[in-house]
Amino acid sequence: MRPSDAVATDARRRLRPAGIAFGGDYNPEQWPEEVWAEDVALMKEAGVSMVTAGIFSWAEVEPRPGAFDFAWFDRVMDNLAGAGVAVCLATMTASPPPWLSRLHPEILPETADGRRMWPGGRQHYCPSSRVYREHATRLVERLADRYADHPALEMWHIGNEYGCHTPMCWCDESAADFRRWLSERYGDIGTLNEAWSTAFWAQRYDTFGEVLPPRLAPTFPNPAQQLDFARFSDDALLRCCLAEKEVLRRITPDVPVTTNFIGVYKHVDTFGWAAHQDVASVDFYQDPYDQDTHISAGFVFDVTRSAREGRPWMLMEQAPGAVNWRERNGPKPPGRMRLWSWQAVAQGADAVLYFQWRQSRGGAEKYHSAMVPHGGTDTRVFREVRALGREFASVPQIAGTRSTAEAALVLDWNSWWALELDSHPSTALDQMKIALAHYRPLFEAGIACDVVPPDRDLSGYRLVVVPNLYLLKEPDAERLTAFVRRGGHLLVSFFSGIVDDCDRVHLGGYPAPLREVLGLRIEEFWPLAEKETLDVRHADGTISRADLWSEAVVPEGAGTVAEFGSGPLAGQPAVTRHSFGSGTAWYVATRLTPEAMRALTDEVCRTADVGPVLTGLPEHVQATVRAGDGGHFVFLLNHGQEPAEITLPEPMTDVLAQGAAPAHRITLPGAGVAVLTTR
Ligand code: GAL
């Protein structure tokens, strides 16, 4: 059966939004049908061009096993098509219905200490569960068959935030799946024993049948086993997504697919997954109580854009105002929602969507803001949403344009998993904090930056920043070395290049695979006690503080840029610089203050001849460029509270300020946005 005839179904005619898609999660099942007509009317009023619908509709479309009821959803789709709103249709598999876990309790996930997670929340399925996947793909097949030719169908939204609540499962079915995954990876048990260093602590396995996930153990479970379990768990989630994608490709080969990432999330390797998406999409919830929330957002947006080599991406979820899941949940002050939405576009997004369209009356998210709040349309939130929807609609030419960067920051999920394992010199190392400590000075200096995996072609960059790349494969180390040899500039931070793919130390002096390019050797790791700090003496005689970590650096060609000024390593290098081939490699053996990190990054950028998008930018003003067939756009975003004056290199026009004349100077109010062009 096909959707109702109320809407002409011209097969393959889709409602692709012409410019920047704008909208949100639409959950009409939470509301009586009388509300739906108002929904689409308000969507038109607010400039909504796309919604993502059906995310949590499984129990409503399949109320009993195999008994499908799509009639109500047909009406939802028809209404949307009638209003010209495109649908990013969810596959509805994010939260299994109660009957499924009642009939098959074995789908429920288990924790490392053997506790079962029960239904009553959402995402209560073991990623390895065959029963879950069978039921999920059966539903997807019905859904795809039914809506394949529906004019509202624009793209598919597979699952929802994979791994958000259940990134890993330690149940017996996961254990069996883990063993199958390991036997594919290693082929024979001897190779696994070698890879996992099981000669240590009598862990030698005789058969794959003896291997378990790293369940609660008396002491540290084998680190290589933990690392492989992180890889396996990521892969088990990906296989859920791909099982659905396969069905969708078979039935609707020309409809693009995506799934929404949870920011930059430890359990889901954005780079690995993005290769399977037609468009990358991400959810990011700025925290209005966090002064630096735009910097964290910047990092996440750069990762998402870079994951598909700069192609436009989607901000699939953000909040119009407050969320409900932090300890304190305040609204976004006036103008911030607009500013942060434009930030996504400035960093390459072609879609800005929210969670959710209409604020829930009941359920766990009733205090989460929505585009249509409990108070209706005569509210600040709705007014700001409507104004933004109209603003985006006025500049369709931005969509499809792209940005370029001369700097890249390297991020690797394998290394992240390995870095944060237990039984290390310090358990205080946090991959995201170190990555952000390196990203922040680039962001603040206005330097366009991609974030890339270590096996990406680096030849297009002048500067590559490598924060804590603890696990480093030889070929990736060779790529970094060749990058510098050919004239690139490399900045590496401490505890990088230490172990191989199986968490075994690279022998020959730390960090063996990077020693040549860095021109040094590390003799001992010297992590600092909690709250302990050290002096770092810089070349100009100034002293800054450092914390978290230090290392005994033995230069082997590298020159000292700064040295430890106190503590057991006083007088030894804290920051080094090595001329190698036609390039330069810098090394930071401790965690510098943000100010010292900024000064170092500025120096490295100067050496690398990497400059900002616009010079002379006031503090708190972000500038980015997107260019393409639609034009050349300079985005200016004032993340500060105070007005900022910006001098432009040539007279430019703000495309958001109707009728404005070209100007050489622009004043941006606090939270202000301008999109400038010379045309
Ligand atoms: C996301 C999720 C949405 C909603 C939102 C609230 O994690 O995908 O369904 O729960 O958070 O912020």
Side-chain angles (χ1 to χ4, degrees), residues 266-277:
K266 184 174 175 183
H267 297 288
V268 170
D269 175 354
T270 298
F271 295 135
W273 283 59
H276 300 283
Q277 317 295 318

Side-chain angles (χ1 to χ4, degrees), residues 291-292 294 339 443-444 617-622 637-642 644:
Q291 296 279 312
D292 294 334
H294 58 292
L339 172 72
F443 183 96
E444 288 178 344
L617 277 179
E619 210 189 347
H620 306 307
V621 174
Q622 180 187 6
L637 305 116
N638 183 2
H639 293 285
Q641 309 281 353
E642 302 304 322

